[in-house]
Amino acid sequence: QVQLVESGGGLVQAGGSLRLSCAASGHTFNTYTMAWFRQPAEQEREFVAAISWSGGTTWYADSVKGRFTIDRDNAKNTVSLQMNSLKPEDTAFYYCATDRVPRRLGRRRSADFGSWGQGTQVTVSS
């Protein structure tokens, strides 16, 4: 059974930075695309960023491109999200997720991801 545990959320002022981490277990980590999603209060969950199983390919939501960076360490089974130049509209619960299918690229829909962490809250004050 796949387990994902996020950490690193918190309260930060606009313009600041946070780094989220997600520790994975229970699957062959280095064969699955990993992603970060977020869900603002009373809104739908939305895609933030994803990284291929090897780490060689990344893709981002337009709203975070140039500010956020996703990376992974396959030796440690972790995926991280470096968030810079944070804005109040980045406030949300952030979740990491693993693709349902190994070695697949380009997915952005939450339905394409089969295992989820419990989430970590990020709050950006203005």
Side-chain angles (χ1 to χ4, degrees):
Q1 184 177 355
V2 179
Q3 287 193 319
L4 303 172
V5 180
E6 300 95 337
S7 60
L11 173 65
V12 64
Q13 287 190 328
S17 299
L18 279 176
R19 184 173 178 84
L20 306 183
S21 293
C22 173
S25 61
H27 71 321
T28 310
F29 183 76
N30 63 3
T31 63
Y32 287 86
T33 285
M34 298 295 296
W36 287 93
F37 285 75
R38 67 186 182 188
Q39 187 166 17
E42 300 181 2
Q43 296 185 40
E44 297 288 320
R45 190 172 297 187
E46 62 184 24
F47 171 80
V48 175
I51 186 166
S52 64
W53 55 97
S54 67
T57 302
T58 58
W59 54 105
Y60 297 89
D62 287 344
S63 59
V64 307
K65 203 173 293 183
R67 299 188 298 122
F68 291 11
T69 302
I70 188 171
D71 61 81
R72 67 190 293 160
D73 185 336
N74 284 346
K76 296 181 179 179
N77 284 10
T78 59
V79 59
S80 298
L81 185 69
Q82 177 67 43
M83 306 185 294
N84 298 329
S85 302
L86 283 160
K87 304 175 182 180
E89 52 263 44
D90 294 318
T91 295
F93 238 85
Y94 283 71
Y95 300 88
C96 71
T98 184
D99 199 325
R100 291 183 181 275
V101 177
R103 297 189 177 89
R104 184 169 67 172
L105 292 174
R107 303 292 168 156
R108 294 172 179 259
R109 299 182 311 140
S110 59
D112 291 323
F113 292 82
S115 297
W116 297 81
Q118 82 290 348
T120 186
Q121 176 69 41
V122 171
T123 303
V124 184
S125 63
S126 57

